[in-house]
Amino acid sequence: AKDMGRNAFQFFTSAMNERAMERLRIEGDLREALQRGELRLHYQPQVDLRSGRVIGMEALIRWQHPELGMIPPGRFIQLAEELGLIVPIGSWVLRTACSQSVAWREQGLGDIRVAVNLSARQFYQQNLVATIEEVLTGTGIAPHLLELELTESMMMNDVEHAVGILHELKQLGVQLSIDDFGTGYSSLAYLKRFPIDLLKIDQSFVRDITLDADDAAIVLSVISLAHSLRLKVIAEGVETAAQLRYLREHGCDCMQGYFFSPPLPAADAERLLREGKHL
Ligand code: C2E
Ligand code: CA
Ligand code: CA
Ligand code: CA
């Protein structure tokens, strides 16, 4: 039994070393990923439920690692924050997504709004507003075609400061949305002070919408709350026809999710637009 214990311990430490090694390796490689052109954006369509048409695309980052393959953001965004790399990576995401929207427009594919996720570190960075302004003029995108996705917890850190930044961003003419709405420590009292345009209902509430009365109740109250504050609502993580029907019947404005399309590489997103895919 003693031996077994020792073996199990050795196994455990070597597994831990492997994880630590992987982290070290990813850390080293991430510093180079941007320069090496290994970062990609995928685009997930956002569909207007009234017209059934694609009105926007959320930009979602991926890292094409030369040996480890495609690494999802869940495995490196946090690290990028810790290493202070999120600011240059975030600027790259902003520029790339905005250029893509301009390219789609030039190809006759219409005005496609691009939604970009901001991290907390980026949001509180000194020159965020200047960076966004530079991206707008540099790419030539119409400001209302850029949507910035923020989270509640990000803004609750320092509400006064956040409200100030949000107002400056609104001055630039961009759209602001709250991502994962309902999962942070939301404060309804603050919500009315944030000059935002959209709420994104988190997929955890959408998942069981047709099965769980509590989830349905939450979704319905978010829709009505949003509408009474004159905000639009997007439901995320819509995977089934039943979820879609429910959201449509209850006045949700937009949807996003595997039911319509997963996030796609730029070329596939372009094809989807060209073919005019709709609900
Ligand atoms: P998020 O902003 O909440 O993005 C939605 C996530 O749900 C995406 O995962 C998307 O692929 C996934 N998803 C979309 N439709 C469905 C569906 O129908 N069912 C299910 N189960 N999932 C769906 P992804 O791409 O792995 O991104 C994870 C998170 O990483 C994002 O969550 C966002 O917080 C962060 N992220 C992604 N790109 C960026 C970026 O450029 N900058 C920053 N700061 N964060 C990013
Ligand atoms: Ca998002
Ligand atoms: Ca989300
Ligand atoms: Ca999320």
Side-chain angles (χ1 to χ4, degrees):
K2 224 176 187 176
D3 277 355
M4 252 181 69
R6 184 173 306 139
N7 286 340
F9 179 71
Q10 279 169 353
F11 176 76
F12 180 65
T13 50
S14 84
M16 239 175 54
N17 279 337
E18 235 167 77
R19 286 191 52 186
M21 294 289 287
E22 195 201 69
R23 188 189 145 103
L24 271 180
R25 164 156 196 213
I26 286 189
E27 195 174 306
D29 291 352
L30 188 53
R31 294 183 194 279
E32 315 289 334
L34 189 56
Q35 285 80 356
R36 290 187 185 149
E38 294 169 2
L39 300 179
R40 302 283 140 78
L41 292 185
H42 282 190
Y43 295 90
Q44 186 175 36
Q46 300 181 325
V47 185
D48 180 284
L49 288 177
R50 222 155 271 129
S51 67
R53 299 281 161 186
V54 174
I55 54 161
M57 296 273 188
E58 179 175 1
L60 294 156
I61 197 169
R62 273 95 185 89
W63 176 11
Q64 186 61 50
H65 190 284
E67 282 119 39
L68 302 173
M70 187 74 86
I71 305 181
R75 282 182 54 206
F76 69 90
I77 287 292
Q78 177 66 33
L79 186 61
E81 286 238 350
E82 288 164 20
L83 297 176
L85 295 172
I86 198 67
V87 171
I89 290 176
S91 302
W92 174 84
V93 172
L94 279 163
R95 242 180 301 114
T96 306
C98 291
S99 306
Q100 188 57 256
S101 173
V102 170
W104 284 330
R105 184 195 164 90
E106 286 171 350
Q107 290 160 24
L109 299 173
D111 280 346
I112 303 297
R113 184 175 73 201
V114 283
V116 171
N117 294 281
L118 291 192
S119 76
R121 185 71 98 85
Q122 240 181 319
F123 185 70
Y124 288 104
Q125 144 209 13
Q126 276 298 311
N127 49 358
L128 172 72
V129 177
T131 301
I132 304 276
E133 198 168 10
E134 214 175 277
V135 167
L136 293 176
T137 49
T139 61
I141 190 175
H144 73 278
L145 293 180
L146 173 61
E147 174 190 335
L148 302 175
E149 296 196 0
L150 313 154
T151 63
E152 298 159 274
S153 33
M154 201 157 122
M155 291 185 283
M156 299 310 287
N157 272 351
D158 182 349
V159 174
E160 293 311 315
H161 190 61
V163 168
I165 300 173
L166 294 180
H167 278 288
E168 284 184 59
L169 292 172
K170 274 317 289 178
Q171 289 285 308
L172 299 178
V174 302
Q175 310 249 41
L176 303 176
S177 63
I178 299 191
D179 200 0
D180 305 337
F181 187 72
T183 61
Y185 26 161
S186 52
S187 164
L188 299 179
Y190 288 124
L191 196 55
K192 69 167 188 187
R193 295 192 49 208
F194 295 145
I196 53 169
D197 305 284
L198 295 125
L199 292 184
K200 297 192 75 176
I201 304 180
D202 191 64
Q203 54 193 49
S204 60
F205 302 117
V206 173
R207 192 177 305 126
D208 295 330
I209 197 174
T210 57
L211 309 170
D212 183 321
D214 294 338
D215 285 337
I218 291 172
V219 169
L220 294 189
S221 40
V222 172
I223 294 172
S224 91
L225 170 72
H227 286 166
S228 44
L229 294 172
R230 289 172 303 281
L231 308 175
K232 298 267 187 206
V233 198
I234 303 188
E236 292 195 279
V238 178
E239 297 183 352
T240 69
Q243 291 165 342
L244 175 66
R245 191 173 331 109
Y246 188 93
L247 290 161
R248 241 183 181 156
E249 279 168 6
H250 292 89
C252 184
D253 303 291
C254 298
M255 68 77 81
Q256 191 181 336
Y258 297 162
F259 180 76
F260 185 78
S261 169
L264 301 169
D268 295 341
E270 181 182 320
R271 189 168 318 119
L272 182 146
L273 291 173
R274 197 174 296 285
E275 289 169 354
K277 179 174 177 179
H278 57 88
L279 269 180

